[in-house]
Amino acid sequence: MNRKIGLFDSGLGGLSILKELVKLLPNENYLFYEDSINNPYGQKSEDELLKIVDNAVKFLLKEDCKIIVIACNTATTCCLKKLREMYPDTIFVGTVPAIKVAYDNNYKNTIILSTPYTMQSSRVEELIHNYRRKDQNIINISGENLAHLIELDNKIEIMSLLNRKLSKYKDVTDSLVLGCTHYSLIKDEIQSILPNTVLLDGCVGVSNEVKHQLEEHKLLNNNSAGNIQIINSKDEKLVERSFGILRS
Ligand code: DGL
C-alpha cells in the first residue's frame, strides 16, 4: 500500500511547503491537515501549542502517515524536540526560519520576520548564534497577527501591517527570511515594500529533507501517480480555496 506523507499547519501556510513537495515527489500521496480552527499558532503559549500540535500529530498517525512534516515554524520551534521524544518511531521533518540560507549566501543586512512565538524562541536564538556572520546585521521582527490576516485574506490590513513593520528598512536590507510558512504566500506584497530585498524561505530545503528521509528509510513511492487530500479543522469549504492556491 502507498502510505501517505502527512503535513500540518495552522492553515494555509503549509501549502507553500506542499507545493514544493508535490513538484519534487509527484508520485506520493499527501494528507495536509489544515488546522485553521487553531489559527494563529504564533500567538499561543507553549502549553497550548503542545496540546494542539499533539492532536494534529495523533490525527496524522491514525491515518497511517509514513512521515510527518511540520509545515510550520512555530510548531517546529516549540514542539519538535518533544515530539521526537514522545514518538520515537515516527519520522518528523520540521521547518525553521532559513537563517542558514542567508548565511550561505553571505548577506549583510538580514530581516527575520516570524510569528511572536518563533521570534522569541530559543531555537531562533540558537540559529542566529550558529549562523550569524561577524559582519552581518540581523533584525529580528515579529509579524504580530500577520498569519491570521493571511488566513482571513484581509488584504488591506496585511498591507498596512507590512508597511508599518517593513517600510523603514527599504534601502538598508539585502535579505528577508520568511520565518512563517504563511508569509511565503504574500511574497509579492512584501516585495512591493522591499523591492531590492531577496526573500528567503525554507520550502525547498524542507522538501529535499523529506525526500532524503524517505530514501534513507526506503519509503519512497516511485510507482503510481500520487494524490492530495486536504482536511480543514474549521470548515471544509476552506479546502476548495486551498486547492486553488495550490494550483496557482
Ligand atoms: N504558518 C505557521 C508558521 O510557520 C503558523 C502561523 C500562525 O498560525 O501563527 O509559523
Side-chain angles (χ1 to χ4, degrees), residues 114-130:
S114 57
T115 67
Y117 188 94
T118 302
M119 184 221 164
Q120 53 73 49
S121 69
S122 53
R123 185 73 183 104
V124 162
E125 204 177 299
E126 195 179 277
L127 287 166
I128 294 173
H129 177 80
N130 292 345

Side-chain angles (χ1 to χ4, degrees), residues 103-188:
Y103 172 91
D104 289 342
N105 287 282
N106 219 351
Y107 289 114
K108 298 282 183 284
N109 286 297
T110 305
I111 294 175
I112 305 166
L113 183 66
S114 57
T115 67
Y117 188 94
T118 302
M119 184 221 164
Q120 53 73 49
S121 69
S122 53
R123 185 73 183 104
V124 162
E125 204 177 299
E126 195 179 277
L127 287 166
I128 294 173
H129 177 80
N130 292 345
Y131 297 114
R132 175 191 220 144
R133 291 189 179 276
K134 280 196 190 77
D135 58 349
Q136 187 184 15
N137 179 33
I138 290 201
I139 308 156
N140 196 10
I141 300 180
S142 158
E144 295 172 11
N145 63 338
L146 184 56
H148 192 55
L149 296 175
I150 295 168
E151 198 66 22
L152 301 177
D153 198 23
N154 187 335
K155 293 192 172 65
I156 292 173
E157 290 292 319
I158 289 171
M159 282 316 290
S160 134
L161 190 146
L162 289 177
N163 265 310
R164 180 160 54 80
K165 289 274 169 181
L166 299 179
S167 51
K168 55 179 166 287
Y169 300 112
K170 187 168 178 239
D171 297 316
V172 295
T173 179
D174 53 12
S175 51
L176 181 145
V177 173
L178 299 155
C180 166
T181 51
H182 277 73
Y183 303 169
S184 297
L185 301 173
I186 53 156
K187 280 184 181 163
D188 290 350

Side-chain angles (χ1 to χ4, degrees), residues 4-8 21 29-33 60 65-71:
K4 300 167 212 170
I5 295 177
L7 298 91
F8 73 93
L21 272 171
N29 289 337
Y30 295 91
L31 171 57
F32 175 35
Y33 180 65
L60 293 173
C65 292
K66 58 185 176 182
I67 186 167
I68 294 186
V69 184
I70 309 176

Side-chain angles (χ1 to χ4, degrees), residues 5-23:
I5 295 177
L7 298 91
F8 73 93
D9 179 40
S10 67
L12 297 174
L15 294 170
S16 46
I17 288 183
L18 182 55
K19 235 181 194 181
E20 290 303 329
L21 272 171
V22 173
K23 264 193 247 165

Side-chain angles (χ1 to χ4, degrees), residues 45-47 49-50 73-82 117 121 123:
S45 70
E46 184 174 337
D47 285 351
L49 280 170
L50 269 172
N73 295 263
T74 307
T76 304
T77 54
C78 174
C79 309
L80 180 57
K81 276 190 189 145
K82 289 180 196 92
Y117 188 94
S121 69
R123 185 73 183 104

